[in-house]
Coordinates of all heavy atoms in Angstrom, one line a residue:
M970 N 37.1 161.1 199.0 CA 37.2 159.7 199.0 C 38.5 159.3 199.5 O 39.5 159.9 199.3 CB 37.2 159.2 197.5 CG 35.9 158.6 197.1 SD 36.0 158.2 195.4 CE 34.4 158.8 195.0
G971 N 38.6 158.2 200.2 CA 39.9 157.7 200.8 C 39.9 156.2 201.0 O 38.8 155.6 201.0
C972 N 41.0 155.7 201.0 CA 41.2 154.2 201.2 C 42.4 154.0 202.0 O 43.5 154.4 201.6 CB 41.2 153.6 199.8 SG 41.3 151.8 199.9
G973 N 42.3 153.3 203.1 CA 43.5 152.9 203.9 C 44.0 151.5 203.5 O 43.2 150.6 203.4
V974 N 45.3 151.4 203.3 CA 45.8 150.1 202.9 C 47.1 149.9 203.7 O 47.9 150.8 203.8 CB 46.2 150.1 201.4 CG1 46.8 148.8 201.0 CG2 45.0 150.4 200.5
E975 N 47.3 148.7 204.2 CA 48.4 148.4 205.0 C 49.4 147.5 204.2 O 48.9 146.6 203.5 CB 48.1 147.6 206.3 CG 47.3 148.5 207.2 CD 46.8 147.7 208.4 OE1 47.2 146.6 208.6 OE2 46.1 148.3 209.2
N976 N 50.7 147.8 204.3 CA 51.7 147.0 203.6 C 52.9 146.8 204.5 O 53.3 147.7 205.1 CB 52.1 147.6 202.3 CG 51.3 147.2 201.1 OD1 51.2 146.0 200.9 ND2 50.6 148.1 200.5
C977 N 53.4 145.6 204.5 CA 54.6 145.3 205.3 C 55.8 145.5 204.4 O 55.9 144.9 203.3 CB 54.6 143.9 205.8 SG 54.9 143.7 207.5
I978 N 56.7 146.4 204.8 CA 57.9 146.6 204.0 C 59.1 146.4 204.9 O 59.1 146.9 206.1 CB 58.0 148.1 203.4 CG1 56.7 148.3 202.6 CG2 59.2 148.3 202.6 CD1 56.6 147.5 201.3
K979 N 60.2 145.8 204.4 CA 61.3 145.5 205.3 C 62.1 146.7 205.7 O 62.5 146.8 206.9 CB 62.3 144.6 204.5 CG 61.7 143.2 204.3 CD 62.6 142.3 203.6 CE 62.0 140.9 203.3 NZ 62.8 140.1 202.5
S980 N 62.2 147.7 204.8 CA 63.0 148.9 205.2 C 62.2 150.1 204.9 O 62.0 150.5 203.8 CB 64.3 148.9 204.4 OG 64.9 150.1 204.6
Y981 N 61.8 150.8 206.0 CA 60.9 152.0 205.8 C 61.7 153.1 205.0 O 61.2 153.7 204.1 CB 60.6 152.5 207.2 CG 59.8 153.8 207.2 CD1 58.5 153.9 206.7 CD2 60.5 155.0 207.6 CE1 57.9 155.1 206.7 CE2 59.8 156.2 207.6 CZ 58.5 156.3 207.2 OH 57.9 157.5 207.1
Q982 N 63.0 153.3 205.4 CA 63.7 154.4 204.7 C 63.9 154.1 203.2 O 63.8 154.9 202.4 CB 65.0 154.7 205.4 CG 65.7 155.9 204.9 CD 64.8 157.1 205.0 OE1 64.2 157.4 206.1 NE2 64.7 158.0 204.0
K983 N 64.2 152.8 202.9 CA 64.4 152.4 201.5 C 63.1 152.6 200.8 O 63.1 153.1 199.6 CB 64.8 150.9 201.5 CG 64.9 150.4 200.1 CD 65.2 148.9 200.1 CE 65.1 148.3 198.8 NZ 65.3 146.8 198.8
C984 N 62.0 152.3 201.4 CA 60.7 152.5 200.7 C 60.4 154.0 200.5 O 60.1 154.4 199.4 CB 59.6 152.0 201.6 SG 58.0 152.2 200.9
I985 N 60.6 154.8 201.5 CA 60.4 156.2 201.4 C 61.3 156.9 200.3 O 60.8 157.6 199.4 CB 60.5 157.0 202.7 CG1 59.5 156.5 203.7 CG2 60.5 158.5 202.6 CD1 58.1 156.8 203.4
T986 N 62.5 156.5 200.3 CA 63.5 157.0 199.3 C 63.1 156.6 197.9 O 63.1 157.5 197.0 CB 64.9 156.5 199.6 OG1 65.3 156.9 200.9 CG2 65.9 157.0 198.6
A987 N 62.7 155.4 197.7 CA 62.2 154.9 196.4 C 61.0 155.6 195.9 O 60.8 156.0 194.8 CB 62.0 153.4 196.4
V988 N 60.0 155.8 196.8 CA 58.8 156.5 196.5 C 59.0 157.9 196.2 O 58.5 158.5 195.2 CB 57.7 156.3 197.6 CG1 56.5 157.2 197.3 CG2 57.3 154.9 197.7
I989 N 59.9 158.6 196.9 CA 60.2 160.0 196.6 C 60.9 160.1 195.2 O 60.6 160.9 194.5 CB 61.2 160.6 197.7 CG1 60.4 160.8 199.0 CG2 61.8 161.9 197.2 CD1 61.3 161.2 200.2
H990 N 61.8 159.2 195.0 CA 62.5 159.2 193.7 C 61.5 158.9 192.6 O 61.5 159.7 191.6 CB 63.6 158.1 193.7 CG 64.2 157.9 192.4 ND1 65.2 158.8 191.9 CD2 64.1 157.0 191.4 CE1 65.6 158.5 190.7 NE2 64.9 157.4 190.4
F991 N 60.7 157.9 192.7 CA 59.7 157.6 191.7 C 58.7 158.7 191.4 O 58.6 159.2 190.2 CB 58.9 156.4 192.0 CG 57.9 156.0 191.0 CD1 58.3 155.3 189.8 CD2 56.6 156.2 191.2 CE1 57.3 155.0 188.9 CE2 55.6 155.9 190.3 CZ 56.0 155.3 189.1
F992 N 58.1 159.2 192.4 CA 57.1 160.3 192.2 C 57.7 161.6 192.0 O 57.1 162.5 191.4 CB 56.1 160.3 193.4 CG 55.1 159.1 193.2 CD1 55.4 158.0 193.8 CD2 54.0 159.3 192.4 CE1 54.5 156.9 193.7 CE2 53.1 158.2 192.3 CZ 53.4 157.0 192.9
G993 N 58.9 161.9 192.5 CA 59.6 163.2 192.2 C 60.1 163.3 190.8 O 60.1 164.3 190.2
K994 N 60.7 162.2 190.3 CA 61.3 162.2 189.0 C 60.3 162.0 187.9 O 60.3 162.6 186.9 CB 62.4 161.1 188.9 CG 63.5 161.3 189.9 CD 64.4 162.5 189.6 CE 65.5 162.5 190.5 NZ 66.2 163.8 190.5
V995 N 59.4 161.0 188.1 CA 58.4 160.6 187.1 C 57.3 161.6 187.0 O 56.7 161.9 185.9 CB 57.9 159.2 187.3 CG1 56.8 158.8 186.3 CG2 59.1 158.2 187.3
R996 N 56.9 162.1 188.1 CA 55.7 163.1 188.2 C 56.1 164.3 189.0 O 55.8 164.4 190.2 CB 54.5 162.4 188.9 CG 54.0 161.2 188.0 CD 53.0 160.4 188.7 NE 52.5 159.4 187.9 CZ 53.1 158.3 187.5 NH1 54.4 158.1 187.9 NH2 52.6 157.4 186.7
P997 N 56.8 165.2 188.3 CA 57.4 166.4 189.1 C 56.3 167.4 189.6 O 56.7 168.2 190.4 CB 58.4 167.0 188.1 CG 57.9 166.6 186.8 CD 57.2 165.2 187.0
R998 N 55.1 167.4 189.1 CA 54.2 168.5 189.4 C 53.4 168.1 190.7 O 52.2 167.6 190.6 CB 53.2 168.7 188.3 CG 53.9 169.3 187.1 CD 52.9 169.5 186.0 NE 52.2 168.2 185.7 CZ 51.0 168.1 185.1 NH1 50.4 169.1 184.7 NH2 50.5 166.9 184.9
H999 N 54.0 168.2 191.8 CA 53.4 167.9 193.1 C 54.0 168.7 194.2 O 55.0 169.3 194.1 CB 53.5 166.4 193.4 CG 54.9 166.0 193.7 ND1 55.9 165.8 192.7 CD2 55.6 165.8 194.9 CE1 57.0 165.5 193.3 NE2 56.9 165.5 194.6
S1000 N 53.3 168.6 195.4 CA 53.9 169.2 196.6 C 54.2 168.0 197.5 O 53.5 167.0 197.5 CB 53.0 170.2 197.3 OG 51.8 169.5 197.8
C1001 N 55.3 168.1 198.2 CA 55.7 167.0 199.0 C 56.0 167.5 200.4 O 56.6 168.5 200.6 CB 57.0 166.4 198.4 SG 57.6 165.0 199.3
N1002 N 55.6 166.7 201.4 CA 55.8 167.1 202.8 C 56.2 165.8 203.5 O 55.6 164.8 203.4 CB 54.5 167.6 203.4 CG 54.6 168.0 204.9 OD1 55.4 167.5 205.6 ND2 53.8 168.9 205.3
E1003 N 57.3 165.9 204.3 CA 57.8 164.7 205.0 C 57.7 164.9 206.5 O 58.4 164.3 207.3 CB 59.3 164.5 204.6 CG 59.5 164.1 203.2 CD 60.9 163.8 202.9 OE1 61.6 163.0 203.5 OE2 61.4 164.5 201.9
M1004 N 56.7 165.7 206.9 CA 56.5 166.0 208.4 C 56.1 164.7 209.1 O 56.7 164.4 210.1 CB 55.5 167.0 208.5 CG 55.2 167.4 210.0 SD 56.6 168.4 210.7 CE 56.2 170.0 210.0
D1005 N 55.1 164.0 208.6 CA 54.6 162.8 209.3 C 54.6 161.7 208.3 O 53.5 161.3 207.8 CB 53.2 163.0 209.9 CG 52.6 161.8 210.6 OD1 53.4 161.1 211.2 OD2 51.4 161.6 210.5
G1006 N 55.7 161.2 207.9 CA 55.8 160.2 206.8 C 56.1 161.0 205.5 O 56.7 162.0 205.5
L1007 N 55.5 160.5 204.4 CA 55.6 161.2 203.2 C 54.2 161.5 202.6 O 53.4 160.6 202.4 CB 56.3 160.3 202.2 CG 56.4 160.8 200.7 CD1 57.2 162.0 200.7 CD2 57.0 159.7 199.8
R1008 N 53.9 162.8 202.5 CA 52.6 163.2 202.0 C 52.9 163.9 200.6 O 53.7 164.8 200.6 CB 51.9 164.2 202.9 CG 50.6 164.7 202.3 CD 49.8 165.4 203.3 NE 48.4 165.2 203.4 CZ 47.5 164.4 202.9 NH1 48.0 163.4 202.1 NH2 46.3 164.4 203.1
V1009 N 52.3 163.4 199.6 CA 52.5 163.9 198.2 C 51.1 164.3 197.7 O 50.2 163.5 197.8 CB 53.1 162.9 197.3 CG1 53.3 163.5 195.9 CG2 54.5 162.5 197.8
E1010 N 51.0 165.6 197.2 CA 49.7 166.1 196.8 C 49.8 166.5 195.3 O 50.7 167.2 194.9 CB 49.3 167.3 197.7 CG 49.0 166.9 199.1 CD 48.6 168.0 199.9 OE1 48.5 169.2 199.5 OE2 48.3 167.8 201.1
Y1011 N 48.8 166.1 194.6 CA 48.6 166.5 193.2 C 47.3 167.2 193.1 O 46.5 167.2 194.1 CB 48.6 165.3 192.3 CG 49.9 164.5 192.2 CD1 50.2 163.5 193.1 CD2 50.9 164.9 191.3 CE1 51.4 162.8 193.1 CE2 52.1 164.2 191.2 CZ 52.3 163.2 192.1 OH 53.6 162.5 192.1
P1012 N 47.0 167.9 192.0 CA 45.7 168.6 191.9 C 44.5 167.7 192.2 O 43.5 168.2 192.8 CB 45.7 169.2 190.5 CG 47.2 169.3 190.2 CD 47.8 168.2 190.8
D1013 N 44.5 166.6 191.7 CA 43.3 165.7 191.8 C 43.4 164.4 192.7 O 42.5 163.6 192.7 CB 42.7 165.4 190.4 CG 43.8 164.7 189.5 OD1 45.0 164.7 189.9 OD2 43.4 164.3 188.4
W1014 N 44.6 164.3 193.3 CA 44.8 163.1 194.2 C 46.0 163.3 195.1 O 46.8 164.2 194.8 CB 44.9 161.8 193.4 CG 46.2 161.6 192.7 CD1 46.6 162.3 191.5 CD2 47.3 160.8 193.1 NE1 47.9 161.8 191.2 CE2 48.3 160.9 192.1 CE3 47.5 159.9 194.1 CZ2 49.5 160.2 192.2 CZ3 48.7 159.2 194.2 CH2 49.7 159.4 193.2
S1015 N 46.1 162.6 196.2 CA 47.2 162.7 197.1 C 47.3 161.3 197.8 O 46.4 160.5 197.8 CB 46.9 163.8 198.1 OG 45.8 163.4 198.9
F1016 N 48.5 161.2 198.4 CA 48.7 160.0 199.3 C 49.6 160.4 200.5 O 50.4 161.3 200.4 CB 49.3 158.8 198.5 CG 50.7 159.0 198.0 CD1 51.7 158.6 198.9 CD2 51.0 159.5 196.8 CE1 53.1 158.7 198.4 CE2 52.3 159.6 196.4 CZ 53.3 159.2 197.2
L1017 N 49.4 159.6 201.5 CA 50.3 159.7 202.7 C 50.8 158.3 203.0 O 50.1 157.3 203.0 CB 49.5 160.1 203.9 CG 50.1 160.1 205.3 CD1 51.4 161.0 205.3 CD2 49.2 160.4 206.4
L1018 N 52.1 158.2 203.0 CA 52.8 156.9 203.3 C 53.6 157.1 204.6 O 54.4 158.0 204.7 CB 53.8 156.6 202.2 CG 54.5 155.2 202.3 CD1 53.6 154.1 202.3 CD2 55.5 155.1 201.2
R1019 N 53.3 156.4 205.7 CA 53.9 156.5 206.9 C 54.0 155.3 207.7 O 53.3 154.3 207.4 CB 53.2 157.6 207.8 CG 51.7 157.2 208.1 CD 51.0 158.3 208.9 NE 51.4 158.4 210.3 CZ 51.1 157.6 211.3 NH1 50.3 156.6 211.0 NH2 51.5 157.8 212.5
A1020 N 55.0 155.2 208.6 CA 55.1 154.0 209.5 C 54.0 154.0 210.5 O 53.6 155.0 211.0 CB 56.5 154.1 210.2
S1021 N 53.5 152.8 210.7 CA 52.5 152.6 211.8 C 53.1 152.8 213.1 O 54.3 152.5 213.3 CB 51.9 151.2 211.7 OG 51.1 151.0 212.8
N1022 N 52.4 153.4 214.1 CA 52.9 153.6 215.4 C 52.8 152.4 216.3 O 53.4 152.3 217.3 CB 52.2 154.8 216.1 CG 52.6 156.1 215.5 OD1 53.7 156.3 215.0 ND2 51.7 157.0 215.5
T1023 N 52.0 151.4 215.8 CA 51.7 150.3 216.6 C 52.1 148.9 216.0 O 52.0 147.9 216.7 CB 50.1 150.2 217.0 OG1 49.4 150.1 215.7 CG2 49.7 151.4 217.8
E1024 N 52.4 148.9 214.8 CA 52.7 147.6 214.1 C 54.0 147.9 213.2 O 54.3 149.0 212.8 CB 51.6 147.2 213.2 CG 50.3 147.0 213.9 CD 49.2 146.6 212.9 OE1 48.6 147.6 212.4 OE2 48.9 145.4 212.8
A1025 N 54.7 146.8 212.8 CA 55.8 146.9 211.9 C 55.3 146.9 210.5 O 55.6 146.0 209.7 CB 56.7 145.7 212.2
K1026 N 54.6 148.0 210.1 CA 54.0 148.1 208.8 C 54.0 149.5 208.4 O 54.1 150.5 209.2 CB 52.5 147.7 208.8 CG 52.3 146.2 209.2 CD 50.8 145.9 209.1 CE 50.6 144.4 209.3 NZ 49.2 144.0 209.2
L1027 N 53.9 149.7 207.1 CA 53.6 151.0 206.5 C 52.2 151.2 206.3 O 51.5 150.2 206.0 CB 54.4 151.2 205.2 CG 55.9 151.3 205.2 CD1 56.4 151.5 203.8 CD2 56.3 152.5 206.1
R1028 N 51.7 152.4 206.5 CA 50.3 152.7 206.2 C 50.3 153.6 205.0 O 51.0 154.6 205.0 CB 49.7 153.4 207.5 CG 48.2 153.4 207.4 CD 47.6 153.5 208.8 NE 48.1 152.6 209.8 CZ 47.7 151.3 210.0 NH1 46.8 150.8 209.2 NH2 48.1 150.6 211.0
L1029 N 49.4 153.2 204.1 CA 49.3 154.0 202.8 C 47.8 154.5 202.8 O 46.9 153.7 202.8 CB 49.6 153.2 201.6 CG 49.3 153.8 200.3 CD1 50.1 155.0 200.0 CD2 49.5 152.8 199.1
I1030 N 47.6 155.8 202.7 CA 46.3 156.4 202.6 C 46.3 157.2 201.3 O 47.1 158.1 201.0 CB 46.0 157.3 203.8 CG1 46.1 156.5 205.0 CG2 44.6 157.9 203.6 CD1 46.1 157.3 206.3
V1031 N 45.3 156.8 200.4 CA 45.2 157.5 199.1 C 43.9 158.2 199.0 O 42.8 157.6 199.4 CB 45.3 156.4 198.0 CG1 45.2 157.1 196.6 CG2 46.6 155.6 198.1
D1032 N 43.8 159.4 198.6 CA 42.6 160.2 198.4 C 42.6 160.7 196.9 O 43.6 161.0 196.3 CB 42.6 161.5 199.2 CG 42.5 161.1 200.7 OD1 41.6 160.4 201.1 OD2 43.4 161.5 201.5
A1033 N 41.4 160.7 196.3 CA 41.2 161.1 194.9 C 39.9 161.7 194.7 O 38.9 161.4 195.5 CB 41.5 159.9 194.0
R1034 N 39.7 162.4 193.7 CA 38.4 163.1 193.4 C 37.4 162.1 192.7 O 36.2 162.4 192.7 CB 38.6 164.3 192.4 CG 39.3 165.4 193.1 CD 39.4 166.6 192.2 NE 40.3 167.5 192.9 CZ 40.1 168.8 192.8 NH1 39.2 169.3 192.0 NH2 41.0 169.6 193.4
S1035 N 37.8 161.0 192.3 CA 36.9 160.0 191.7 C 37.3 158.6 192.2 O 38.5 158.3 192.4 CB 36.8 160.1 190.2 OG 38.0 159.6 189.6
E1036 N 36.3 157.7 192.1 CA 36.6 156.3 192.5 C 37.6 155.7 191.5 O 38.5 154.9 191.9 CB 35.3 155.5 192.5 CG 35.5 154.1 193.1 CD 35.8 154.1 194.6 OE1 35.3 155.0 195.3 OE2 36.5 153.1 195.0
E1037 N 37.4 156.0 190.2 CA 38.3 155.4 189.2 C 39.8 155.8 189.4 O 40.7 155.0 189.3 CB 37.8 155.8 187.8 CG 36.5 155.2 187.4 CD 35.3 156.0 188.0 OE1 35.5 157.2 188.4 OE2 34.2 155.5 188.1
L1038 N 39.9 157.2 189.7 CA 41.3 157.7 189.9 C 41.9 157.1 191.2 O 43.1 156.7 191.2 CB 41.3 159.2 190.0 CG 42.6 159.9 190.1 CD1 43.5 159.6 189.0 CD2 42.4 161.4 190.3
L1039 N 41.1 157.0 192.2 CA 41.5 156.4 193.5 C 42.0 154.9 193.2 O 43.2 154.6 193.6 CB 40.4 156.3 194.5 CG 40.7 155.6 195.8 CD1 41.7 156.4 196.6 CD2 39.4 155.4 196.6
E1040 N 41.3 154.1 192.5 CA 41.7 152.8 192.3 C 42.9 152.7 191.4 O 43.8 151.9 191.7 CB 40.5 152.0 191.6 CG 39.4 151.8 192.5 CD 38.1 151.2 191.9 OE1 38.2 150.8 190.6 OE2 37.1 151.0 192.5
S1041 N 43.0 153.5 190.4 CA 44.2 153.6 189.6 C 45.5 154.0 190.3 O 46.5 153.3 190.2 CB 43.9 154.6 188.4 OG 45.1 154.8 187.7
K1042 N 45.4 155.0 191.1 CA 46.6 155.5 191.9 C 47.0 154.5 193.0 O 48.1 154.3 193.2 CB 46.4 156.9 192.4 CG 46.2 157.9 191.3 CD 47.4 157.9 190.4 CE 47.2 158.9 189.2 NZ 48.4 158.9 188.3
E1043 N 46.0 154.0 193.6 CA 46.2 153.0 194.6 C 47.0 151.8 194.1 O 48.0 151.4 194.6 CB 44.9 152.6 195.3 CG 45.1 151.5 196.4 CD 43.8 151.1 197.0 OE1 43.1 150.3 196.4 OE2 43.4 151.7 198.1
K1044 N 46.5 151.3 192.9 CA 47.2 150.2 192.3 C 48.7 150.6 191.9 O 49.6 149.8 192.1 CB 46.5 149.7 191.1 CG 47.1 148.5 190.4 CD 46.4 148.1 189.2 CE 47.0 146.9 188.5 NZ 48.4 146.6 188.6
E1045 N 48.8 151.7 191.3 CA 50.1 152.2 190.9 C 51.1 152.3 192.1 O 52.2 151.9 192.1 CB 50.0 153.6 190.3 CG 51.3 154.1 189.7 CD 51.1 155.5 189.0 OE1 50.0 156.0 189.1 OE2 52.0 156.0 188.5
L1046 N 50.6 152.8 193.2 CA 51.4 152.9 194.5 C 51.8 151.5 195.0 O 52.9 151.3 195.4 CB 50.7 153.8 195.5 CG 50.8 155.3 195.3 CD1 49.7 155.9 196.1 CD2 52.1 155.8 195.6
L1047 N 50.7 150.7 195.1 CA 51.0 149.3 195.6 C 51.9 148.5 194.8 O 52.8 147.8 195.3 CB 49.6 148.6 195.8 CG 48.7 149.1 196.9 CD1 47.4 148.4 196.9 CD2 49.4 149.0 198.2
D1048 N 51.8 148.7 193.5 CA 52.8 148.0 192.5 C 54.2 148.5 192.8 O 55.2 147.7 192.8 CB 52.4 148.2 191.1 CG 51.2 147.5 190.7 OD1 50.7 146.6 191.5 OD2 50.6 147.8 189.6
T1049 N 54.4 149.8 193.0 CA 55.7 150.4 193.3 C 56.2 149.9 194.6 O 57.4 149.5 194.7 CB 55.6 152.0 193.4 OG1 55.1 152.4 192.1 CG2 56.9 152.6 193.7
L1050 N 55.4 149.8 195.6 CA 55.8 149.3 196.9 C 56.1 147.8 196.9 O 57.0 147.3 197.5 CB 54.7 149.6 198.0 CG 54.5 151.1 198.3 CD1 53.3 151.2 199.2 CD2 55.7 151.7 198.9
E1051 N 55.3 147.1 196.1 CA 55.5 145.6 196.0 C 56.9 145.3 195.5 O 57.6 144.3 195.9 CB 54.5 145.0 195.1 CG 54.4 143.5 195.1 CD 54.0 142.9 196.4 OE1 53.2 143.5 197.1 OE2 54.6 141.8 196.7
E1052 N 57.4 146.1 194.6 CA 58.8 145.9 194.0 C 59.9 146.1 195.1 O 61.0 145.5 194.9 CB 59.0 146.9 192.9 CG 58.1 146.7 191.7 CD 58.3 147.7 190.6 OE1 59.3 148.5 190.7 OE2 57.5 147.8 189.7
L1053 N 59.6 146.7 196.2 CA 60.6 146.9 197.2 C 60.6 145.8 198.2 O 61.5 145.7 199.0 CB 60.2 148.2 197.9 CG 60.3 149.5 197.1 CD1 59.8 150.6 197.9 CD2 61.6 149.7 196.5
K1054 N 59.7 144.9 198.2 CA 59.7 143.8 199.2 C 60.8 142.8 199.0 O 61.3 142.7 197.9 CB 58.4 143.0 199.1 CG 57.2 143.7 199.8 CD 56.0 142.9 199.8 CE 55.0 143.4 200.7 NZ 53.8 142.6 200.8

């Protein structure tokens, strides 16, 4: 399952730093890769946050094993990003 969501954020680096801090400190059991944006993987869900190549936006892609988990994590991530606007 996956869901693509676009969000406009003023400062990409500020956003990435805040998300790394939030998910690294609050939820330490994950793998993190910063090769193409920020990819964080948990056993039952993951997300990719990266700058769009064609627009002044961040692209957020969330994957999860169930629709309920997908909706929950997507909302959690969007709420975190919304605080940065």
Side-chain angles (χ1 to χ4, degrees):
M970 258 177 220
C972 183
V974 180
E975 296 177 3
N976 271 302
C977 231
I978 303 294
K979 292 179 182 174
S980 169
Y981 174 72
Q982 192 55 48
K983 176 182 173 185
C984 178
I985 295 296
T986 301
V988 171
I989 289 171
H990 176 76
F991 179 76
F992 284 92
K994 300 290 185 193
V995 177
R996 292 171 179 72
R998 296 178 305 158
H999 69 280
S1000 68
C1001 183
N1002 179 333
E1003 294 181 55
M1004 183 74 77
D1005 181 32
L1007 174 65
R1008 181 169 219 10
V1009 179
E1010 296 181 358
Y1011 294 89
D1013 54 353
W1014 73 285
S1015 65
F1016 71 90
L1017 172 63
L1018 181 65
R1019 61 184 287 281
S1021 171
N1022 290 329
T1023 58
E1024 302 173 278
K1026 295 183 177 185
L1027 287 180
R1028 196 157 310 277
L1029 173 64
I1030 301 166
V1031 182
D1032 292 305
R1034 292 187 187 211
S1035 72
E1036 188 69 31
E1037 295 81 19
L1038 182 60
L1039 174 69
E1040 291 172 6
S1041 168
K1042 295 304 180 182
E1043 181 180 80
K1044 180 181 180 338
E1045 185 177 6
L1046 284 162
L1047 290 175
D1048 288 348
T1049 300
L1050 295 174
E1051 189 66 34
E1052 292 176 13
L1053 299 173
K1054 281 187 170 182

